[in-house]
Structures are given as structure tokens and as C-alpha cells.
Amino acid sequence: KQEVTQIPAALSVPEGENLVLNCSFTDSAIYNLQWFRQDPGKGLTSLLLIQSSQREQTSGRLNASLDKSSGRSTLYIAASQPGDSATYLCAVSGSTGGFKTIFGAGTRLFVKA
Amino acid sequence: DTGVSQNPRHKITKRGQNVTFRCDPISEHNRLYWYRQTLGQGPEFLTYFQNEAQLEKSRLLSDRFSAERPKGSFSTLEIQRTEQGDSAMYLCASTRAGRGWTGGAYNGYTFGSGTRLTVV
């Protein structure tokens, strides 16, 4: 059974810091991994999607890496800003029959001005 | 296309009442998913449709819950005889899957803003 763990559960940093959010998953038979952002009381906004054949994806100040064999992904945020404050969720999607997209519980990020 | 749309945004209901939520996916997306999210947790899968066919249901989906996607476009999620434990954010997502694909969301999901249900 696939399990997704995100560490840390919460993080508070001063503005301008570079930071890394971690995601690990127990079953390496994934098709892709997706990072989402969620603001309080809102839906999920997709940030980056990494297919299993890829090692990383970049969008602006965000960079996500994937090491499928070790079951790990990291989301790197450069030069953090107060507007980055949100919960970041990692989700892995399976590659074999039926539904297998599993979410982690998220990392709650607070960037202090 | 304005993305995935969910209505209502908020619903407060008394215990024992029935509620229905609606999701309008991105028009070219053939797959539609329903998730439930409680405070401090990630979304949990409830059910999904490929076109009008409901292909999988989670054990979380008790017999008080029913979902439909009658024409393969919008979907409704109904909860009968609501309980306080049903209070959560109900999220809808859509994606496009190729013919015969039975895996997860290989092109990634697009989520709606959710419907927050409070049962009092």
C-alpha cells in the first residue's frame, strides 16, 4: 500500500531564505509525482508535475526533484517571500491498474516578513 | 475554459439533512475525481469517473454517499442523512486520460476550489 510522508509538517522561515520541503513514498512504482500549493480554506493549485522518467522540473523560483528508486522528492523554494506562505502537498500517481494517487499530509510554510 | 468549478463554495446543514454538491470539470477532461479533506490532512480519494462510468469507489464512501456523472460532463456528490463526521472540504479534480489507460492521473490533476461542508 502506497504511503506518502512529508517532512517537516510545519516550517517558519524569514523572508529571503532558500528552503527545501521533503516528500517520501513507499512504493517506487509511480507514474508521476505532483506538488501542489493550498492556501487556507481553498482548493489545490498545481505547481510542478514530474513524470517518472524525469529527474526534475523547474518553474520560476521552484525546483522539484525526483529520485524514484529511493522514493524521494524535494521541493526547493528559492528566495522565499511572504506570499509563499501556504501548505505544500505532494501526491504520487500509480502506474498500474485502477486508481492509485495518494497525497501526503502537507508541509505548512510560513514566511516571515 | 475557466478550470474546474465547484458549487456551492460553502454549505452549512443540520445533522440528518441531505446535501448535494456539483463539479464542472475542464471540458476536454474525461476523468473526474472526488476527494475529501479534513483539517491538517491531505486529500483522501473518494471515487472517480472515466466519462460517465464510475470506475472506483473508496471504502470511505459509505452507502450514504452517492456520486453521478450522467452525461460524462458535470458530476454531483450527494450525502444523505449527514453526520457531524461528514464535515470536511470536498474537492473535485479532473484530468485527461488516454483510451485504455487504467493508471492514475498521468497528466496531473486540476482541482476546483472545493465545497466546505459544515454539519451542525
Side-chain angles (χ1 to χ4, degrees), chain A residues 37-45 82-89 108-110, chain B residues 9-10 37 39-40 89 91 113 116:
Chain A
R37 169 186 172 137
Q38 186 174 33
D39 293 291
K42 307 290 186 184
L44 279 65
T45 300
D84 295 331
S85 299
T87 296
Y88 292 81
L89 292 155
R108 200 172 351 160
L109 173 65
F110 179 63
Chain B
R9 293 293 303 276
H10 300 95
Q37 186 179 26
L39 203 61
M89 174 79 88
L91 294 161
S113 298
R116 178 163 294 284

mmCIF file of all heavy atoms in Angstrom, chain A residues 37-45 82-89 108-110, chain B residues 9-10 37 39-40 89 91 113 116:
data_model
loop_
_atom_site.group_PDB
_atom_site.id
_atom_site.type_symbol
_atom_site.label_atom_id
_atom_site.label_comp_id
_atom_site.label_asym_id
_atom_site.label_seq_id
_atom_site.Cartn_x
_atom_site.Cartn_y
_atom_site.Cartn_z
ATOM 1 N N ARG A 37 0.109 23.553 -4.120
ATOM 2 C CA ARG A 37 0.031 24.575 -3.085
ATOM 3 C C ARG A 37 -1.431 24.719 -2.690
ATOM 4 O O ARG A 37 -2.326 24.699 -3.553
ATOM 5 C CB ARG A 37 0.559 25.892 -3.637
ATOM 6 C CG ARG A 37 0.283 27.078 -2.727
ATOM 7 C CD ARG A 37 0.683 28.375 -3.349
ATOM 8 N NE ARG A 37 0.225 29.477 -2.504
ATOM 9 C CZ ARG A 37 0.948 30.539 -2.215
ATOM 10 N NH1 ARG A 37 2.158 30.688 -2.715
ATOM 11 N NH2 ARG A 37 0.457 31.497 -1.435
ATOM 12 N N GLN A 38 -1.667 24.875 -1.390
ATOM 13 C CA GLN A 38 -3.036 25.090 -0.913
ATOM 14 C C GLN A 38 -3.043 26.235 0.087
ATOM 15 O O GLN A 38 -2.369 26.178 1.110
ATOM 16 C CB GLN A 38 -3.607 23.831 -0.270
ATOM 17 C CG GLN A 38 -5.077 23.955 0.106
ATOM 18 C CD GLN A 38 -5.670 22.650 0.605
ATOM 19 O OE1 GLN A 38 -4.991 21.854 1.238
ATOM 20 N NE2 GLN A 38 -6.954 22.413 0.309
ATOM 21 N N ASP A 39 -3.802 27.273 -0.222
ATOM 22 C CA ASP A 39 -3.999 28.375 0.719
ATOM 23 C C ASP A 39 -5.154 28.006 1.643
ATOM 24 O O ASP A 39 -6.026 27.212 1.288
ATOM 25 C CB ASP A 39 -4.280 29.664 -0.037
ATOM 26 C CG ASP A 39 -3.063 30.121 -0.816
ATOM 27 O OD1 ASP A 39 -2.085 30.520 -0.169
ATOM 28 O OD2 ASP A 39 -3.066 30.039 -2.063
ATOM 29 N N PRO A 40 -5.186 28.593 2.851
ATOM 30 C CA PRO A 40 -6.209 28.206 3.840
ATOM 31 C C PRO A 40 -7.620 28.285 3.292
ATOM 32 O O PRO A 40 -8.035 29.302 2.734
ATOM 33 C CB PRO A 40 -5.988 29.222 4.970
ATOM 34 C CG PRO A 40 -4.541 29.587 4.868
ATOM 35 C CD PRO A 40 -4.240 29.583 3.386
ATOM 36 N N GLY A 41 -8.369 27.210 3.427
ATOM 37 C CA GLY A 41 -9.761 27.175 3.000
ATOM 38 C C GLY A 41 -9.967 27.139 1.500
ATOM 39 O O GLY A 41 -11.095 27.301 1.025
ATOM 40 N N LYS A 42 -8.908 26.925 0.742
ATOM 41 C CA LYS A 42 -9.003 26.947 -0.722
ATOM 42 C C LYS A 42 -8.703 25.582 -1.309
ATOM 43 O O LYS A 42 -8.309 24.641 -0.618
ATOM 44 C CB LYS A 42 -7.996 27.964 -1.297
ATOM 45 C CG LYS A 42 -8.093 29.350 -0.719
ATOM 46 C CD LYS A 42 -9.347 30.067 -1.145
ATOM 47 C CE LYS A 42 -9.344 31.509 -0.665
ATOM 48 N NZ LYS A 42 -10.606 32.197 -0.982
ATOM 49 N N GLY A 43 -8.884 25.495 -2.635
ATOM 50 C CA GLY A 43 -8.530 24.280 -3.343
ATOM 51 C C GLY A 43 -7.031 24.175 -3.569
ATOM 52 O O GLY A 43 -6.247 24.958 -3.026
ATOM 53 N N LEU A 44 -6.634 23.195 -4.375
ATOM 54 C CA LEU A 44 -5.217 22.947 -4.634
ATOM 55 C C LEU A 44 -4.808 23.546 -5.970
ATOM 56 O O LEU A 44 -5.521 23.404 -6.963
ATOM 57 C CB LEU A 44 -4.942 21.437 -4.666
ATOM 58 C CG LEU A 44 -4.782 20.722 -3.338
ATOM 59 C CD1 LEU A 44 -6.066 20.738 -2.521
ATOM 60 C CD2 LEU A 44 -4.318 19.299 -3.567
ATOM 61 N N THR A 45 -3.634 24.174 -5.974
ATOM 62 C CA THR A 45 -3.065 24.720 -7.201
ATOM 63 C C THR A 45 -1.841 23.903 -7.558
ATOM 64 O O THR A 45 -0.924 23.755 -6.739
ATOM 65 C CB THR A 45 -2.673 26.193 -7.012
ATOM 66 O OG1 THR A 45 -3.829 26.948 -6.663
ATOM 67 C CG2 THR A 45 -2.056 26.750 -8.279
ATOM 68 N N PRO A 82 6.884 36.324 1.675
ATOM 69 C CA PRO A 82 5.686 36.116 2.500
ATOM 70 C C PRO A 82 4.520 35.517 1.717
ATOM 71 O O PRO A 82 3.732 34.729 2.255
ATOM 72 C CB PRO A 82 5.369 37.527 3.015
ATOM 73 C CG PRO A 82 6.704 38.198 3.065
ATOM 74 C CD PRO A 82 7.465 37.671 1.870
ATOM 75 N N GLY A 83 4.422 35.845 0.435
ATOM 76 C CA GLY A 83 3.355 35.292 -0.402
ATOM 77 C C GLY A 83 3.487 33.802 -0.658
ATOM 78 O O GLY A 83 2.549 33.179 -1.167
ATOM 79 N N ASP A 84 4.622 33.222 -0.298
ATOM 80 C CA ASP A 84 4.799 31.771 -0.429
ATOM 81 C C ASP A 84 4.158 31.022 0.726
ATOM 82 O O ASP A 84 4.084 29.786 0.702
ATOM 83 C CB ASP A 84 6.293 31.413 -0.486
ATOM 84 C CG ASP A 84 6.990 31.949 -1.714
ATOM 85 O OD1 ASP A 84 6.327 32.098 -2.765
ATOM 86 O OD2 ASP A 84 8.209 32.227 -1.632
ATOM 87 N N SER A 85 3.721 31.740 1.757
ATOM 88 C CA SER A 85 3.104 31.100 2.920
ATOM 89 C C SER A 85 1.856 30.347 2.496
ATOM 90 O O SER A 85 0.918 30.931 1.930
ATOM 91 C CB SER A 85 2.754 32.149 3.980
ATOM 92 O OG SER A 85 3.913 32.814 4.411
ATOM 93 N N ALA A 86 1.841 29.046 2.727
ATOM 94 C CA ALA A 86 0.746 28.159 2.313
ATOM 95 C C ALA A 86 1.104 26.752 2.770
ATOM 96 O O ALA A 86 2.166 26.520 3.345
ATOM 97 C CB ALA A 86 0.586 28.184 0.784
ATOM 98 N N THR A 87 0.216 25.807 2.468
ATOM 99 C CA THR A 87 0.529 24.395 2.678
ATOM 100 C C THR A 87 0.917 23.787 1.344
ATOM 101 O O THR A 87 0.263 24.022 0.330
ATOM 102 C CB THR A 87 -0.679 23.645 3.273
ATOM 103 O OG1 THR A 87 -0.959 24.182 4.560
ATOM 104 C CG2 THR A 87 -0.379 22.156 3.404
ATOM 105 N N TYR A 88 1.995 23.024 1.346
ATOM 106 C CA TYR A 88 2.510 22.388 0.134
ATOM 107 C C TYR A 88 2.282 20.884 0.248
ATOM 108 O O TYR A 88 2.700 20.251 1.216
ATOM 109 C CB TYR A 88 3.987 22.728 -0.056
ATOM 110 C CG TYR A 88 4.179 24.186 -0.386
ATOM 111 C CD1 TYR A 88 4.175 25.148 0.619
ATOM 112 C CD2 TYR A 88 4.304 24.619 -1.704
ATOM 113 C CE1 TYR A 88 4.294 26.505 0.319
ATOM 114 C CE2 TYR A 88 4.435 25.962 -2.013
ATOM 115 C CZ TYR A 88 4.414 26.896 -0.997
ATOM 116 O OH TYR A 88 4.531 28.230 -1.302
ATOM 117 N N LEU A 89 1.604 20.349 -0.755
ATOM 118 C CA LEU A 89 1.223 18.939 -0.759
ATOM 119 C C LEU A 89 1.920 18.197 -1.893
ATOM 120 O O LEU A 89 2.050 18.712 -3.007
ATOM 121 C CB LEU A 89 -0.290 18.806 -0.941
ATOM 122 C CG LEU A 89 -1.146 19.305 0.228
ATOM 123 C CD1 LEU A 89 -2.529 19.695 -0.248
ATOM 124 C CD2 LEU A 89 -1.263 18.239 1.292
ATOM 125 N N ARG A 108 3.179 22.832 6.175
ATOM 126 C CA ARG A 108 2.634 24.188 6.314
ATOM 127 C C ARG A 108 3.803 25.149 6.440
ATOM 128 O O ARG A 108 4.586 25.081 7.379
ATOM 129 C CB ARG A 108 1.745 24.258 7.540
ATOM 130 C CG ARG A 108 0.792 25.410 7.507
ATOM 131 C CD ARG A 108 -0.228 25.414 8.613
ATOM 132 N NE ARG A 108 -0.267 24.204 9.410
ATOM 133 C CZ ARG A 108 -0.779 24.135 10.620
ATOM 134 N NH1 ARG A 108 -1.286 25.197 11.181
ATOM 135 N NH2 ARG A 108 -0.808 23.005 11.275
ATOM 136 N N LEU A 109 3.922 26.066 5.468
ATOM 137 C CA LEU A 109 5.047 27.004 5.409
ATOM 138 C C LEU A 109 4.582 28.395 5.794
ATOM 139 O O LEU A 109 3.563 28.877 5.296
ATOM 140 C CB LEU A 109 5.630 27.031 3.996
ATOM 141 C CG LEU A 109 6.708 28.081 3.722
ATOM 142 C CD1 LEU A 109 7.955 27.808 4.553
ATOM 143 C CD2 LEU A 109 7.053 28.121 2.238
ATOM 144 N N PHE A 110 5.377 29.050 6.656
ATOM 145 C CA PHE A 110 5.122 30.441 7.000
ATOM 146 C C PHE A 110 6.406 31.224 6.765
ATOM 147 O O PHE A 110 7.449 30.909 7.353
ATOM 148 C CB PHE A 110 4.665 30.569 8.460
ATOM 149 C CG PHE A 110 4.395 31.986 8.885
ATOM 150 C CD1 PHE A 110 3.389 32.726 8.277
ATOM 151 C CD2 PHE A 110 5.148 32.598 9.875
ATOM 152 C CE1 PHE A 110 3.138 34.034 8.644
ATOM 153 C CE2 PHE A 110 4.902 33.913 10.250
ATOM 154 C CZ PHE A 110 3.901 34.624 9.637
ATOM 155 N N ARG B 9 -19.714 26.941 -2.673
ATOM 156 C CA ARG B 9 -18.402 27.059 -2.034
ATOM 157 C C ARG B 9 -18.472 26.640 -0.576
ATOM 158 O O ARG B 9 -17.534 26.049 -0.054
ATOM 159 C CB ARG B 9 -17.898 28.499 -2.131
ATOM 160 C CG ARG B 9 -17.578 28.944 -3.550
ATOM 161 C CD ARG B 9 -16.385 28.197 -4.128
ATOM 162 N NE ARG B 9 -15.194 28.338 -3.306
ATOM 163 C CZ ARG B 9 -14.354 29.355 -3.376
ATOM 164 N NH1 ARG B 9 -14.567 30.326 -4.236
ATOM 165 N NH2 ARG B 9 -13.292 29.395 -2.588
ATOM 166 N N HIS B 10 -19.571 26.983 0.060
ATOM 167 C CA HIS B 10 -19.775 26.629 1.463
ATOM 168 C C HIS B 10 -21.190 26.109 1.633
ATOM 169 O O HIS B 10 -22.116 26.575 0.956
ATOM 170 C CB HIS B 10 -19.590 27.832 2.392
ATOM 171 C CG HIS B 10 -18.234 28.452 2.316
ATOM 172 N ND1 HIS B 10 -17.958 29.529 1.505
ATOM 173 C CD2 HIS B 10 -17.073 28.139 2.931
ATOM 174 C CE1 HIS B 10 -16.687 29.851 1.630
ATOM 175 N NE2 HIS B 10 -16.123 29.030 2.483
ATOM 176 N N GLN B 37 -11.164 16.240 2.257
ATOM 177 C CA GLN B 37 -10.007 16.703 3.025
ATOM 178 C C GLN B 37 -10.474 17.251 4.362
ATOM 179 O O GLN B 37 -11.299 18.162 4.418
ATOM 180 C CB GLN B 37 -9.236 17.787 2.252
ATOM 181 C CG GLN B 37 -7.952 18.203 2.920
ATOM 182 C CD GLN B 37 -7.201 19.252 2.146
ATOM 183 O OE1 GLN B 37 -7.789 20.022 1.389
ATOM 184 N NE2 GLN B 37 -5.878 19.301 2.301
ATOM 185 N N LEU B 39 -9.193 18.845 8.253
ATOM 186 C CA LEU B 39 -8.201 19.813 8.693
ATOM 187 C C LEU B 39 -6.868 19.154 8.993
ATOM 188 O O LEU B 39 -6.798 18.172 9.740
ATOM 189 C CB LEU B 39 -8.733 20.547 9.926
ATOM 190 C CG LEU B 39 -8.127 21.907 10.212
ATOM 191 C CD1 LEU B 39 -8.379 22.876 9.064
ATOM 192 C CD2 LEU B 39 -8.685 22.474 11.512
ATOM 193 N N GLY B 40 -5.803 19.682 8.401
ATOM 194 C CA GLY B 40 -4.458 19.197 8.687
ATOM 195 C C GLY B 40 -4.071 17.920 7.962
ATOM 196 O O GLY B 40 -2.980 17.387 8.190
ATOM 197 N N MET B 89 -13.776 19.472 3.681
ATOM 198 C CA MET B 89 -13.730 20.119 2.368
ATOM 199 C C MET B 89 -13.851 19.013 1.320
ATOM 200 O O MET B 89 -13.110 18.025 1.379
ATOM 201 C CB MET B 89 -12.406 20.861 2.192
ATOM 202 C CG MET B 89 -12.200 21.432 0.810
ATOM 203 S SD MET B 89 -13.106 22.957 0.546
ATOM 204 C CE MET B 89 -11.891 24.141 1.144
ATOM 205 N N LEU B 91 -13.365 18.111 -2.469
ATOM 206 C CA LEU B 91 -12.625 18.613 -3.620
ATOM 207 C C LEU B 91 -12.904 17.771 -4.853
ATOM 208 O O LEU B 91 -13.014 16.553 -4.766
ATOM 209 C CB LEU B 91 -11.122 18.587 -3.330
ATOM 210 C CG LEU B 91 -10.639 19.526 -2.231
ATOM 211 C CD1 LEU B 91 -9.269 19.090 -1.728
ATOM 212 C CD2 LEU B 91 -10.566 20.949 -2.741
ATOM 213 N N SER B 113 -11.993 24.690 -6.415
ATOM 214 C CA SER B 113 -11.777 25.404 -5.159
ATOM 215 C C SER B 113 -12.387 24.689 -3.963
ATOM 216 O O SER B 113 -12.147 25.081 -2.826
ATOM 217 C CB SER B 113 -12.349 26.807 -5.256
ATOM 218 O OG SER B 113 -11.686 27.526 -6.276
ATOM 219 N N ARG B 116 -16.855 23.520 1.105
ATOM 220 C CA ARG B 116 -16.654 23.259 2.537
ATOM 221 C C ARG B 116 -18.000 22.956 3.165
ATOM 222 O O ARG B 116 -18.908 23.793 3.134
ATOM 223 C CB ARG B 116 -16.019 24.455 3.240
ATOM 224 C CG ARG B 116 -15.846 24.200 4.738
ATOM 225 C CD ARG B 116 -14.871 25.139 5.401
ATOM 226 N NE ARG B 116 -13.521 24.979 4.942
ATOM 227 C CZ ARG B 116 -12.701 23.982 5.293
ATOM 228 N NH1 ARG B 116 -13.126 23.044 6.121
ATOM 229 N NH2 ARG B 116 -11.473 23.943 4.844
#
